[in-house]
Amino acid sequence: HLYTLPRMIRAARPDVFLWLGDNVYADTDDPAVLAEEYRRQRDVASLQPLLRSTPQLAIWDDHDFGLNNHDRTSPMRADALAVFRRYWANPGHGTDSTHGVFFAWSRSGIDGFFLDDRSWRDPNAQPDGEGKTMLGAGQLAWLKERLAASTAPFKLIFSGSGWSAAKGPGGDSWASSRHERDALFAWIAEQGIRGVVLVSGDTHVGEL
C-alpha cells in the first residue's frame, strides 16, 4: 500500500532502493506533463522519508519514457531524458557518444549494469532477427566492455522490460528481441563470465 510500503522498506534499512521503470505513469508526449507526474510523486508525504533517507537509482520503461510500449521512434525521447535527469541523480546517464539512462554502479561484491530499454529500441512489431535491437549498438558495446572488465563476484543486469520470452513474438519485453538477447547470452557464456544475474521490472512484478 502506498502509505505503509515506504515505511516497511525504511524499516528494512536497505543500502539502496532501485526503481526499474514505470516509476510514474505519465503516458504522454508532452514533457511538461511528464515533469508534473514526477513532481506529484515527490509530493506524496508517505514517500518523502524514504526518498530522503535511502539512496535511489533508477532506469525507465515505457510509461515514464513516453507513450505505452514506445521505442526509439518517440518524438519526445530527448525531452524525456532531460526530465529524467532532473529527477534522478544517477551516477551516469549514457555515454558521450550514446545518450540514454544506462549506467554502471558498484557496491561491495556487486557490479550493477542498469540498461536503457527504450531510447534505442526498435518497434516491437518489427520482425525479429539480425539487425533488430533493444539496446542499440553503442549501449550493447558499453555493456559488453563493462561485463568483460568486471571482477565482482556478482554482475547484476537490470532491465525495465522483462527478460523472459513469456509475452511471445512482438510482446513488449525482450520477447520481441530474442535474437539480440540470445546473442548476448551466448557471448556471456563464450567469454566465461560468471555470476551474472538478470533482474527486470514491468508487468507490475519483478523477475530475477
Side-chain angles (χ1 to χ4, degrees):
H1 190 278
L2 181 60
Y3 298 101
T4 59
L5 186 58
R7 188 165 60 247
M8 294 169 63
I9 294 170
R10 286 187 67 212
R13 302 185 62 170
D15 293 326
V16 63
F17 187 85
L18 310 180
W19 301 75
L20 299 185
D22 296 343
N23 307 317
V24 294
Y25 267 60
D27 289 337
T28 182
D29 56 6
D30 185 342
V33 173
L34 177 58
E36 174 62 12
E37 286 302 306
Y38 276 126
R39 189 204 63 76
R40 293 194 325 118
Q41 180 192 60
R42 301 307 199 273
D43 205 34
V44 175
S46 60
L47 184 61
Q48 289 172 355
L50 176 63
L51 294 173
R52 293 186 182 121
S53 65
T54 305
Q56 316 279 314
L57 298 172
I59 51 177
W60 60 21
D61 201 34
D62 51 342
H63 297 290
D64 40 356
F65 171 72
L67 300 175
N68 187 43
N69 297 347
H70 236 164
D71 49 57
R72 62 173 174 77
T73 65
S74 171
M76 68 167 284
R77 66 177 189 167
D79 291 322
L81 178 59
V83 174
F84 184 95
R85 295 184 65 165
R86 277 165 47 196
Y87 282 91
W88 299 112
N90 286 336
H93 298 90
T95 66
D96 290 341
S97 59
T98 306
H99 71 260
V101 302
F102 61 95
F103 64 95
W105 170 86
S106 299
R107 185 179 181 91
S108 300
I110 295 173
D111 280 348
F113 308 96
F114 293 74
L115 303 181
D116 183 335
D117 64 349
R118 294 292 163 178
S119 292
W120 302 96
R121 179 192 196 123
D122 286 325
N124 293 329
Q126 179 177 322
D128 198 5
E130 189 171 357
K132 185 176 183 181
T133 185
M134 175 82 77
L135 302 179
Q139 183 178 189
L140 182 59
W142 168 88
L143 176 61
K144 287 182 174 181
E145 179 182 356
R146 291 301 187 101
L147 279 172
S150 174
T151 58
F154 296 101
K155 304 159 186 66
L156 274 60
I157 309 178
F158 298 95
S159 169
S161 289
W163 287 101
S164 79
K167 290 188 177 182
D172 191 56
S173 70
W174 278 89
S176 68
S177 290
R178 288 187 64 179
H179 186 277
E180 182 174 70
R181 186 202 69 168
D182 293 350
L184 173 61
F185 291 173
W187 178 86
I188 289 171
E190 290 165 2
Q191 297 296 312
I193 299 173
R194 302 175 61 85
V196 175
V197 180
L198 306 175
V199 186
S200 65
D202 200 18
T203 58
H204 300 225
V205 297
E207 289 184 337
L208 175 65

